[in-house]
Amino acid sequence: AQSVTQLGSHVSVSEGALVLLRCNYSSSVPPYLFWYVQYPNQGLQLLLKYTSAATLVKGINGFEAEFKKSETSFHLTKPSAHMSDAAEYFCAVSDWSGANNLFFGTGTRLTVIP
Amino acid sequence: EAGVAQSPRYKIIEKRQSVAFWCNPISGHATLYWYQQILGQGPKLLIQFQNNGVVDDSQLPKDRFSAERLKGVDSTLKIQPAKLEDSAVYLCASSLTASGSTGELFFGEGSRLTVL
């Protein structure tokens, strides 16, 4: 069975500071891993995905994540936070079964302080 | 390209009443999903369709929830009778294909249900 754990339901950073959102996964098979962002009253939008190619994945809006098998982690980072990054971020895991079902974490709400 | 369309955006009902949500996926997307997102939690899959067939409905409370995707295009999710714990945002998503598990799901804006 697949699952993800997001540490920290709320994260606050100052504008221009490093953003680090943590995600650890559990999977019995090699996983696909994803980060989605949800702005208020909007649907989820894919930020980036890991599908067994390069372990460092670059996404939209300057975000990136690194797959670390030894740590079962897929943390999301951005070097410099912008006010527009304030949103809720969800880590998700899928397997290779072809069903394409995503298992989401509980989310991390990012606040950017001016 | 038009995104995933959902309606209504908001619905308030009393417990034991019924409600229906509609979803129109991106044109050409074979796979359609309904997720339930309770406040403070991540989305949870309710049902997945591949064209007009059900792939996974193991998490759908079948005593009160039903969903259909006639003709393999748009879909309706119904709750009857509603309970207080059904208050949530119901998200519809679609993807081009279920094979390969690339995870490229495209989500609608959701339908927010409040049960009083």
Side-chain angles (χ1 to χ4, degrees), chain A residues 50-72:
Chain A
Y50 166 76
T51 56
S52 78
T55 56
L56 181 63
V57 181
K58 295 186 183 298
I60 61 172
N61 302 337
F63 284 93
E64 63 182 35
E66 186 172 8
F67 172 71
K68 292 186 176 180
K69 184 178 179 180
S70 61
E71 299 177 8
T72 61

Side-chain angles (χ1 to χ4, degrees), chain A residues 17-63:
Chain A
L18 172 71
V19 175
L20 171 60
L21 304 182
R22 300 178 186 275
C23 173
N24 288 89
Y25 70 91
S26 173
S27 177
S28 56
V29 297
Y32 287 128
L33 293 159
F34 312 87
W35 277 98
Y36 279 81
V37 61
Q38 187 176 33
Y39 297 103
N41 297 315
Q42 294 188 25
L44 282 77
Q45 178 184 3
L46 181 66
L47 266 181
L48 50 80
K49 62 183 178 183
Y50 166 76
T51 56
S52 78
T55 56
L56 181 63
V57 181
K58 295 186 183 298
I60 61 172
N61 302 337
F63 284 93

Side-chain angles (χ1 to χ4, degrees), chain B residues 39-114:
Chain B
L39 186 65
Q41 299 181 21
K44 183 187 78 172
L45 180 71
L46 291 175
I47 189 167
Q48 177 185 349
F49 292 94
Q50 176 74 7
N51 295 310
N52 60 351
V54 175
V55 174
D56 183 356
D57 64 355
S58 58
Q59 299 299 308
L60 187 73
K62 299 180 184 64
D63 57 334
R64 297 183 300 104
F65 285 66
S66 65
E68 59 183 12
R69 190 184 184 197
L70 300 176
K71 300 180 183 179
V73 182
D74 55 352
S75 175
T76 302
L77 175 71
K78 296 180 181 178
I79 307 174
Q80 183 178 13
K83 293 185 175 181
L84 297 177
E85 59 261 36
D86 298 331
S87 294
V89 176
Y90 291 87
L91 295 167
C92 180
S94 69
S95 66
L96 193 58
T97 176
S99 64
S101 294
T102 60
E104 192 74 67
L105 269 63
F106 295 84
F107 285 83
E109 294 182 325
S111 294
R112 182 179 298 275
L113 173 65
T114 302

